Amino acid sequence: MASRAVPKARKTAPRKGLPNQSSPLAWKPLALGIVGFFFLVLGIEYYKTGGRLAFLRHKVEEATNTNSLTTFSPKGYDIIGLDVSHHNREIDWQEVKQQNIVFSFIKATEGVTHHDRYFNKHWNQAKKHDVLRGAYHFFLPARDAKGQALNFLNRVKLEAGDLPPVLDVEVTNHQSDEKIREGVQIWLDMVEEKYELKPIIYTNYAFYEKHLAGHFDHYPLWIAHYTPEKSHKIEKRNWLFWQHTDKGKLKGVKGNLDLNVFNGTMEDLYNLCYEPIHGHAD
């Protein structure tokens, strides 16, 4: 019996305009686009917040947490206060006032462009409930110091009876001590010129000893240290405020918060407050 020839299969050319689905390179443009978009978003966030990514925390050197599991109330200090930021979203200031809280420091700005989104709310409520208020700026040594001072001054408008401005200095951003101190001085000078009032420097005990000791001694000092007894004492240097815990509890505030004491009398505290020259704040 004769065999029949088997016809050859026709080759089908790929349709123009469509990628070859069997090619391992087909997914690469999409993947590269996603990665590029991700880095673009990070870059924008980094620029907007002055070198700060929202999901990354600054490394606070030896972050004052030594023995912080021991929460205590310092003896001999009757004037107490708190400091808050966007981490403390809801605060019942009337309830806070009833617990003998006299003063508050409220985060206003950070870096060159970042604004604390709860500043206005806390700032207004503190004054409404007769809690002395002060505003602070979180300093980033790697960013322009003049820009940081302007960021704070554009955001904060002190009124008579407000506490002095505060510069929070507790990270290095991998800058030298000289660079850090140079930027700190620029910020302090600009803010003092605006309000004719010496700003307060806030820092933790370890950062002060390592980077600031022997400098800025004519500025009021707010020291953070959570170890009990006398380890918050600084030789040959007086402090004005002491943040003695970051695990404080108050009715009207959810979760932990920072608590502070003032080293002086109520008269001393009132004398520290801002009084506009020539009867106006601007």
Side-chain angles (χ1 to χ4, degrees):
M1 186 175 177
S3 60
R4 300 176 58 186
V6 179
K8 295 181 179 180
R10 295 179 58 191
K11 294 183 179 180
T12 303
R15 296 174 61 186
K16 294 182 178 180
L18 295 177
N20 187 344
Q21 296 181 355
S22 63
S23 173
L25 300 178
W27 58 270
K28 287 192 174 181
L30 178 61
L32 291 175
I34 293 174
V35 172
F37 178 76
F38 176 74
F39 280 104
L40 176 62
V41 171
L42 286 184
I44 293 174
E45 174 72 5
Y46 185 88
Y47 175 78
K48 287 173 57 181
T49 58
R52 164 189 169 277
L53 297 180
F55 55 86
L56 296 177
R57 291 174 179 247
H58 292 293
K59 178 184 178 183
V60 180
E61 295 190 358
E62 302 178 44
T64 71
N65 287 330
T66 308
N67 296 336
S68 62
L69 294 179
T70 304
T71 302
F72 68 106
S73 297
K75 296 179 180 179
Y77 303 101
D78 298 325
I79 302 174
I80 59 176
L82 73 166
D83 61 276
V84 297
S85 68
H86 63 275
H87 296 295
N88 314 102
R89 299 183 179 184
E90 299 298 328
I91 299 177
D92 185 335
W93 285 92
Q94 183 174 358
E95 187 80 35
V96 166
K97 176 69 175 179
Q98 292 175 355
Q99 296 167 84
N100 298 319
I101 294 297
V102 174
F103 64 88
S104 61
F105 286 107
I106 303 166
K107 183 176 182 180
T109 51
E110 177 177 330
V112 177
T113 59
H114 179 70
H115 298 160
D116 191 289
R117 59 185 179 275
Y118 285 90
F119 171 71
N120 286 338
K121 179 180 180 180
H122 293 332
W123 186 249
N124 294 330
Q125 286 295 307
K127 186 173 183 66
K128 179 180 179 180
H129 292 90
D130 296 321
V131 177
L132 290 178
R133 63 185 187 178
Y136 74 89
H137 174 85
F138 192 95
F139 187 71
L140 300 179
R143 305 297 290 177
D144 178 61
K146 292 182 179 179
Q148 294 192 65
L150 290 174
N151 185 25
F152 180 83
L153 292 173
N154 289 335
R155 182 71 166 172
V156 178
K157 306 301 179 186
L158 293 186
E159 299 177 4
D162 289 337
L163 291 166
V166 176
L167 183 62
D168 180 343
V169 190
E170 53 182 314
V171 298
T172 67
N173 289 152
H174 306 291
Q175 304 300 303
S176 67
D177 289 353
E178 291 75 15
K179 176 69 173 178
I180 294 170
R181 293 194 288 262
E182 178 185 356
V184 165
Q185 191 65 67
I186 290 172
W187 193 98
L188 294 172
D189 288 343
M190 289 181 64
V191 174
E192 183 175 357
E193 181 179 0
K194 167 68 176 180
Y195 287 115
E196 299 186 5
L197 181 69
K198 279 195 177 301
I200 299 169
I201 294 177
Y202 167 94
T203 190
N204 69 64
Y205 183 89
F207 192 94
Y208 175 85
E209 291 290 348
K210 188 174 182 180
H211 305 287
L212 303 180
H215 304 269
F216 311 108
D217 288 349
H218 53 298
Y219 288 90
L221 179 64
W222 174 13
I223 195 74
H225 203 286
Y226 309 149
T227 304
E229 308 305 333
K230 298 181 179 180
S231 54
H232 63 284
K233 304 290 186 181
I234 298 178
E235 187 177 359
K236 299 180 181 179
R237 182 73 164 91
N238 294 325
W239 53 267
L240 202 58
F241 294 93
W242 174 21
Q243 184 187 90
H244 59 84
T245 182
D246 62 347
K247 293 176 170 48
K249 300 287 186 181
L250 285 177
K251 295 179 181 178
V253 184
K254 293 182 179 180
N256 297 331
L257 77 158
D258 302 333
L259 293 179
N260 306 265
V261 293
F262 174 67
N263 190 17
T265 66
M266 279 302 303
E267 182 179 2
D268 295 331
L269 188 60
Y270 285 130
N271 288 338
L272 189 68
C273 293
Y274 174 61
E275 288 296 335
I277 305 298
H278 307 305
H280 61 83
D282 294 327

